[in-house]
Structure formats: C-alpha cells, structure tokens
Amino acid sequence: KKCMILTSFLLLAGCSQQSVSENDVTHWKMTHISDASHLWHKTALEFSERVKEKTDGKVQIEVFPNSQLGNEVDSINSIKFGATDLTITGETLEVWTPNAILLAVPYAFEDEEHMRNVIEGDIGQTIENDIKEDVGLTPLFYMERAPRNLTSNTPISTPEDLRGFSMRVPNVPLFLDTWSEAGAKPQVINLNEVFTGLQQGVIAGQENPNDLIYSNGFYEVQDYLNVTEHVRSWIYVVVGNEQLESLPEDQRLAVEEAALEAQDYARDLQEAEQEALSDLLKERGMTFNEDVDQQAFREAMLPALEENLGDEQYELYLEMVEQ
Ligand code: 2Q2
C-alpha cells in the first residue's frame, strides 16, 4: 500500500513536473486560406521554423492551410476569441478599418517599386497602426503580391466584354463596387468555394494573382487568363495583440526578428516562382489574353473609387498614386 501511495505520488510529481515545463512553451495556431503548395504556406512554415529556433522552442507555431479552420473572416474573428493566434490577411480588413482598403485599390501603382515605397512609407505605417488599433491584430511582416488577373472561359479584353459576366470576388466591398461599375455581376464567395462555383457554373469567372490561380487549380475550369493586372497589393501576416503582448520581451523580440527574415524569404520566393508560373499555367491549358485594354478598365473602375472610398481614404489614395 505504501508503495502504491509512493508510486502515485511520483506519478503526480512527474506529471506536474511535465506540465511546468510545458507551461513555458507558447503554442500558437496560424491559419490561412491558401493551399499547402502556395508561397504563403511555405513562408508560414519558414517563419514558424525561425521563431522556434530563435526562442529555443519556447514559441511554437502550428500552421493550418486551406481554410481548414475557417475562411478569412472566421480566421480574424477566431484570433480575437483566442481560439487561434495568427493569420494572413489584407484588404478584407477594410470591413474593420477603412484605411485597409488602400492595400488593394485598382490601378494605384505603376510598378512594384512604387508599391514598396508606399508600404514602407508613412501610408504603410498608418495602415499598420490602424490594423493594430481598430482590429486588434499586429502586422508582423508583409508579402508583396503579384498583380491580380481576371480568369474566364471567353476572352475578356474590354469592360464591354463584362456585360452579364458573373464573377467571384473576395469579401472586399470595394471589389464588388469596382467590378459592378465596370459592368460585371460580382458576388462575394469564400476562396475555398470558388473552384466548385466555377465548375458548377454558379460563376463564370474570378480574379486573383497568378500564384493563387495556379495553386487553386482554376486552370481546370477556366480557359482564359486575361492580363488585366487590375490590382497590385500586399498582405500581412498578423498576430493577435494580446497574444503578442503575453510573451516575455525577449521572445517578442525574437518573433519580430523572425518576421523580418520571413519577409525577405517571401520576397525571394515570390520573385523566383513568378516567372515559371506563367509557363505552368499555359502548360495546364490556359490561354493568356494579352490583348487587354487596361486603360479602359482603369477608367471604368474609377467612378466607383470616388463613391466607395471615404474622404480620408480618397485623399490618401491620391497621395499614394502620386508618390
Ligand atoms: O481572392 C482571395 O480570396 C484573395 O486573393 C484575397 O485577395 C485575399 O484573401 C484578401 O481577401 C485579403 O484580405
């Protein structure tokens, strides 16, 4: 009997010993909407690896791709509830904080350098602060995205070709307005339901950067990739403010250091993958329609910008364009 008591005492001791050391480890869940083959997921894994290394295993991030734990809006909400901790998000944040729309205004940037200057300048800083204050999420690092292109089963070269064209947009009110204004019939659908929507003919098209067109397999259900390049944008990896603040300072600094390294990693990966993607999409049967009148799309969308953006956003937009 004595022995049994002793054994259970040891078991208990062992158990609590284990939970003490386990208590030192912070486990974070990171969710996102892209496929495991996509550069966001590769970057997320790289980030997780570096965080683990730099915190001596004290902060461990498990990454869930493919909307496994919910769509983009769910992911944001679940960080606020504390059920998850990090996600990848961008212009959809305009639902919570109006300046986030500046992440993805149609035809706002000449090229990548122009966009990078904005991201790293005052406007980028304003957006990051707003996300932190209004949404309760801290942007840790950003990823530049390839321009968004429109896919379809008949070529679309001018806004006139959009008449009656039912298409999917992400949960971004500005996208609904700009595409309606240009003549299409847009509707909001979650990314993980787009393939089926196209396959079943619920929608006739969608728009995304080439990398997501590829990783979602849209080439199986879409014949044309119309080079509209209508939106250049960037996206943030964010963590809940509370989650970040709950870390001891050295670990928080380690997370921030890992974030900057992951940002470089993402940039290199994006550059390396982008060119090959056109070939891959063509090999999978997509016809690139280069005959797109981008200027006409720009003009067709412009009135919606004036209507949709608030005064402050419109002013920042003008500042951004001229930067
Ligand atoms: O089409 C999508 O779902 C993405 O490319 C979106 O741009 C992205 O998820 C935004 O909703 C980011 O907030």
Side-chain angles (χ1 to χ4, degrees):
K1 183 141 196 207
K2 216 176 184 180
C3 182
M4 259 180 72
I5 290 169
L6 190 66
T7 317
S8 52
F9 173 76
L10 282 175
L11 274 174
L12 260 175
C15 193
S16 74
Q17 181 63 40
Q18 206 181 9
S19 69
V20 165
S21 69
E22 183 53 20
N23 273 346
D24 284 348
V25 178
T26 301
H27 291 277
W28 276 348
K29 290 194 179 93
M30 174 168 181
T31 67
H32 65 85
I33 59 174
S34 83
D35 183 78
S37 69
H38 187 259
L39 57 102
W40 291 354
H41 190 63
K42 292 181 191 162
T43 304
L45 293 180
E46 180 72 19
F47 174 57
S48 161
E49 213 27 68
R50 293 193 184 211
V51 166
K52 190 171 157 194
E53 221 176 84
K54 288 179 194 295
T55 60
D56 298 322
K58 296 277 170 52
V59 179
Q60 298 193 18
I61 302 174
E62 196 179 348
V63 189
F64 299 84
N66 255 327
S67 310
Q68 267 173 46
L69 301 185
N71 63 44
E72 191 175 346
V73 171
D74 297 336
S75 302
I76 293 166
N77 285 327
S78 86
I79 296 177
K80 289 148 137 332
F81 297 142
T84 61
D85 309 285
L86 300 105
T87 193
I88 303 176
T89 184
E91 61 273 16
T92 287
L93 291 168
E94 74 149 308
V95 176
W96 286 268
T97 187
N99 283 339
I101 197 48
L102 299 169
L103 287 165
V105 179
Y107 298 108
F109 302 116
E110 288 295 319
D111 50 27
E112 281 152 33
E113 209 189 313
H114 183 185
M115 182 168 83
R116 196 174 297 169
N117 288 340
V118 169
I119 303 174
E120 293 186 348
D122 291 347
I123 297 183
Q125 197 54 57
T126 303
I127 297 171
E128 288 185 32
N129 291 344
D130 285 2
I131 295 173
K132 200 167 167 184
E133 272 169 34
D134 299 344
V135 198
L137 306 177
T138 302
L140 288 170
F141 66 97
Y142 71 85
M143 294 186 270
E144 289 171 36
R145 307 181 71 184
R148 299 178 84 90
N149 287 317
L150 181 67
T151 65
S152 56
N153 284 319
T154 51
I156 295 179
S157 308
T158 68
E160 284 75 60
D161 300 332
L162 288 174
R163 202 159 304 154
F165 182 69
S166 65
M167 59 180 285
R168 174 270 177 179
V169 291
N171 190 347
V172 179
L174 179 66
F175 289 1
L176 274 176
D177 290 356
T178 46
W179 284 103
S180 309
E181 185 75 42
K185 285 201 247 159
Q187 57 180 295
V188 171
I189 297 179
N190 292 323
L191 187 65
N192 60 341
E193 291 155 18
V194 177
F195 185 92
T196 317
L198 291 166
Q199 195 175 38
Q200 297 179 345
V202 177
I203 38 170
Q206 67 81 45
E207 48 82 55
N208 251 305
N210 289 2
D211 42 85
L212 282 176
I213 295 174
Y214 185 74
S215 69
N216 282 284
F218 293 155
Y219 49 81
E220 284 181 30
V221 283
Q222 297 273 268
D223 296 334
Y224 289 92
L225 191 148
N226 308 284
V227 185
T228 46
E229 298 184 326
H230 53 280
V231 167
R232 277 181 199 276
S233 60
W234 72 99
I235 199 150
Y236 291 109
V237 168
V238 297
V239 62
N241 292 350
E242 282 180 26
Q243 285 89 331
L244 188 62
E245 279 155 20
S246 75
L247 295 183
E249 200 189 352
D250 60 327
Q251 290 178 20
R252 193 167 47 75
L253 292 174
V255 167
E256 286 166 1
E257 201 180 289
L260 289 180
E261 291 179 14
Q263 180 166 300
D264 288 342
Y265 174 88
R267 179 170 298 166
D268 292 346
L269 189 60
Q270 157 87 355
E271 273 167 19
E273 285 191 349
Q274 212 45 48
E275 223 181 279
L277 271 169
S278 307
D279 290 339
L280 286 170
L281 285 163
K282 285 174 192 165
E283 274 166 30
R284 297 284 193 280
M286 289 200 98
T287 301
F288 274 51
N289 173 21
E290 308 270 359
D291 208 19
V292 173
D293 187 348
Q294 294 190 1
Q295 188 55 29
F297 279 97
R298 181 175 209 265
E299 279 161 23
M301 289 177 173
L302 224 51
L305 281 190
E306 284 173 42
E307 279 161 40
N308 179 290
L309 298 187
D311 291 346
E312 186 190 343
Q313 289 71 49
Y314 196 71
E315 246 170 63
L316 287 171
Y317 157 72
L318 291 179
E319 203 180 301
M320 199 166 88
V321 171
E322 274 149 31
Q323 195 157 312

